[in-house]
Amino acid sequence: MRTIYENYRGFKISKQESTYNAISSDHIIFSRWQLSQVLDTVDSYVEFADNNSSPDAESGMPQN
């Protein structure tokens, strides 16, 4: 296994044989055939998680 990024948006990116893996400290794992695909998947996951972290994020209501 070869490490590509030690910390890419909270994920460790590595290559094992012909598959790229992204593993977070929370044990979330993504596996893809191409490096660009696994990085895109991590980006999408992080952006989705950030947008859904607050219950009032979509309503635009200020939090007190």
Side-chain angles (χ1 to χ4, degrees), residues 29-51:
I29 301 171
F30 301 114
S31 294
R32 300 289 184 265
W33 294 107
Q34 295 180 337
L35 178 60
S36 62
Q37 290 175 333
V38 81
L39 296 179
D40 288 345
T41 302
V42 169
D43 290 341
S44 296
Y45 173 79
V46 169
E47 289 170 12
F48 177 80
D50 285 348
N51 288 335

Side-chain angles (χ1 to χ4, degrees), residues 1-58:
M1 183 184 313
R2 179 174 59 113
T3 299
I4 310 272
Y5 294 106
E6 188 65 37
N7 186 6
Y8 179 80
R9 300 187 81 173
F11 285 77
K12 180 179 180 180
I13 310 296
S14 60
K15 183 176 183 182
Q16 186 172 10
E17 296 180 18
S18 62
T19 304
Y20 291 92
N21 302 303
I23 304 170
S24 77
S25 60
D26 297 334
H27 304 290
I28 298 169
I29 301 171
F30 301 114
S31 294
R32 300 289 184 265
W33 294 107
Q34 295 180 337
L35 178 60
S36 62
Q37 290 175 333
V38 81
L39 296 179
D40 288 345
T41 302
V42 169
D43 290 341
S44 296
Y45 173 79
V46 169
E47 289 170 12
F48 177 80
D50 285 348
N51 288 335
N52 290 312
S53 64
S54 171
D56 293 327
E58 289 186 26

